């Protein structure tokens, strides 16, 4: 076993770089697990209570922009203590998301979704607070019959049939010809039909659904167009603070200054660090 023979065997052996290139490229399907440390921080899971987090199923909302039913039932509403209890609740067909029974406890519910629990006669709408966390905002029976959807794009399909794609993965056929991308439509949950729409224009009330100003509510002041780059929208909130964000983060929620959905506590006004501290101290 001279050094020359060992070197030559390593050069042409099964672990050479060329060999690895050909075999290590292919991944073996979609990932099925999620480590707790990599889970979205807005789920607010404990760092030390286990290594794993629930990985949301594929669905209408993105993995990092959703709240799986298991996190909702176990960590938010505290209706279950364990994974097994969550499974029992959903398998009894007790949870409805947007009017449909969901038996997958990893189903990704997201922004503007309506979650109904008939056993407790409760309805919630998923909205954001100003700290980028999902709020299960309790709503009335009347308000739970509709939801708002942001139009991503309007196209023509087979035989020239117009249809609109929304932020929650819906395809709405024959929308009003006035409806364009970035507008908002009010959808009846039972039938899936468009009830009303509101244009994306200055003077309408919006909620920010992404970026640094997530959860803030205000009125559109001005829209900056940058051909070939991101368009910027300037928004003014109820207290008079103005801020700017990307067009893709802006979700129109009503005409004028009247929102079509009820807002969570704080009405989407972001407090400064000092105001936030004062409010917490006052509670004590």
């Amino acid at each position: 076993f001279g050094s020359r023979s060992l070197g030559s065997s390593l050069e042409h052996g099964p672990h050479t770089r060329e060999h690895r290139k050909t075999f290590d490229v292919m991944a073996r399907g979609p990932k099925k697990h999620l480590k707790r440390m990599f889970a979205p921080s807005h789920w607010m899971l404990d760092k030390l209570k286990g290594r794993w987090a629930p990985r949301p199923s594929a669905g209408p909302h993105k993995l990092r922009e959703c709240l799986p039913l298991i996190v909702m039932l176990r960590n938010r509403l505290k209706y279950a203590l364990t994974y097994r209890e969550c499974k029992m609740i959903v398998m009894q067909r007790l949870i409805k998301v947007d009017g449909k029974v969901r038996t997958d406890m990893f189903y990704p519910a997201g922004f503007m979704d309506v979650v109904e629990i008939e056993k407790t006669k409760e309805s919630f709408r998923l909205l954001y607070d100003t700290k980028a966390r999902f709020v299960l905002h309790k709503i009335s029976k009347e308000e739970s019959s509709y939801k708002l959807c942001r139009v991503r794009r309007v196209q023509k399909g087979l035989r020239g049939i117009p249809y609109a794609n929304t932020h929650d993965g819906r395809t709405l056929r024959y929308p009003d010809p006035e409806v364009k991308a970035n507008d908002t439509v009010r959808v009846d949950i039972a039938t899936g039909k468009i009830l009303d729409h509101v244009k994306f224009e200055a003077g309408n009330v919006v909620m920010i659904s992404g970026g640094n100003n997530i959860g803030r509510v205000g009125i559109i002041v001005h829209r900056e167009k940058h051909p070939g780059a991101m368009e910027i929208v300037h928004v003014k909130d109820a207290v008079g603070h103005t801020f700017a964000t990307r067009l893709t983060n802006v979700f129109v929620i009503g005409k004028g200054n009247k929102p079509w959905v009820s807002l969570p506590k704080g009405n989407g006004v972001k407090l400064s660090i000092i105001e936030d501290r004062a409010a917490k101290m006052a509670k004590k």
Side-chain angles (χ1 to χ4, degrees):
F1 293 102
S3 60
R4 196 163 58 85
S5 62
L6 183 64
S8 59
S9 67
L10 283 174
E11 258 174 54
H12 305 293
H15 303 292
T16 57
R17 193 170 292 146
E18 285 73 22
H19 188 273
R20 261 183 264 142
K21 264 184 198 166
T22 51
F23 287 96
D24 290 359
V25 172
M26 250 169 63
R28 305 218 335 205
K31 290 191 170 70
K32 294 194 167 59
H33 295 78
L34 181 68
K35 289 268 178 86
R36 175 117 346 167
M37 291 300 288
F38 187 64
S41 56
H42 64 79
W43 291 0
M44 295 185 289
L45 300 176
D46 303 326
K47 265 193 286 192
L48 303 174
K49 296 238 179 103
R51 181 178 291 183
W52 304 100
R55 186 183 185 89
S57 306
H61 297 277
K62 292 181 180 179
L63 182 143
R64 306 197 75 79
E65 294 169 15
C66 75
L67 193 70
L69 298 185
I70 181 170
V71 174
M72 199 184 294
L73 292 169
R74 187 175 62 180
N75 300 56
R76 294 285 182 284
L77 298 172
K78 307 281 197 292
Y79 284 155
L81 291 172
T82 60
Y83 176 103
R84 191 179 161 80
E85 285 178 15
C86 287
K87 197 167 197 173
M88 286 174 173
I89 292 169
V90 294
M91 292 311 276
Q92 288 175 65
R93 304 179 71 81
L94 300 175
I95 309 294
K96 281 185 179 177
V97 180
D98 287 345
K100 285 194 177 146
V101 172
R102 299 293 176 187
T103 57
D104 175 16
M105 61 180 175
F106 303 109
Y107 179 81
F111 185 54
M112 283 289 169
D113 284 1
V114 175
V115 180
E116 290 172 84
I117 308 171
E118 282 177 12
K119 264 271 171 79
T120 58
K121 295 187 173 59
E122 285 178 313
S123 298
F124 302 96
R125 191 184 300 283
L126 276 173
L127 297 168
Y128 289 113
D129 68 1
T130 51
K131 295 191 176 178
R133 300 174 300 206
F134 272 115
V135 177
L136 281 160
H137 177 58
K138 203 176 266 193
I139 54 175
S140 63
K141 189 81 178 149
E142 295 77 53
E143 203 189 319
S144 67
S145 65
Y146 65 86
K147 70 176 292 191
L148 303 184
C149 298
R150 184 179 194 271
V151 175
R152 283 248 168 98
R153 60 180 172 268
V154 180
Q155 290 174 302
K156 281 188 179 171
L158 203 64
R159 301 188 195 88
I161 293 170
Y163 65 91
N165 294 122
T166 63
H167 81 286
D168 60 346
R170 288 170 191 261
T171 302
L172 304 168
R173 298 174 84 209
Y174 298 110
D176 188 306
E178 293 257 304
V179 173
K180 296 284 182 281
N182 308 318
D183 295 349
T184 295
V185 290
R186 178 157 44 179
V187 174
D188 182 22
I189 284 172
T191 60
K193 296 278 191 294
I194 297 173
L195 299 172
D196 201 353
H197 72 278
V198 58
K199 298 292 291 174
F200 185 97
E201 56 195 11
N204 285 342
V205 63
V206 297
M207 189 176 221
I208 310 300
S209 61
N212 219 21
N213 294 300
I214 190 167
R216 293 179 78 171
V217 174
I219 307 285
I220 299 174
V221 177
H222 172 57
R223 173 179 172 179
E224 276 179 36
K225 294 196 176 182
H226 299 285
M230 293 285 178
E231 293 189 16
I232 303 295
V233 178
H234 293 265
V235 182
K236 189 175 190 176
D237 69 8
V239 193
H241 299 308
T242 54
F243 56 93
T245 188
R246 287 178 173 183
L247 174 72
T248 48
N249 298 333
V250 180
F251 193 119
V252 182
I253 56 169
K255 274 189 183 141
N257 57 1
K258 294 241 165 56
W260 284 351
V261 293
S262 56
L263 298 173
K265 192 171 71 178
N267 289 331
V269 174
K270 189 172 189 175
L271 301 175
S272 69
I273 300 169
I274 296 160
E275 289 167 339
D276 194 27
R277 181 177 175 274
K280 281 179 182 170
M281 296 296 273
K283 276 183 190 173
K284 287 179 184 177

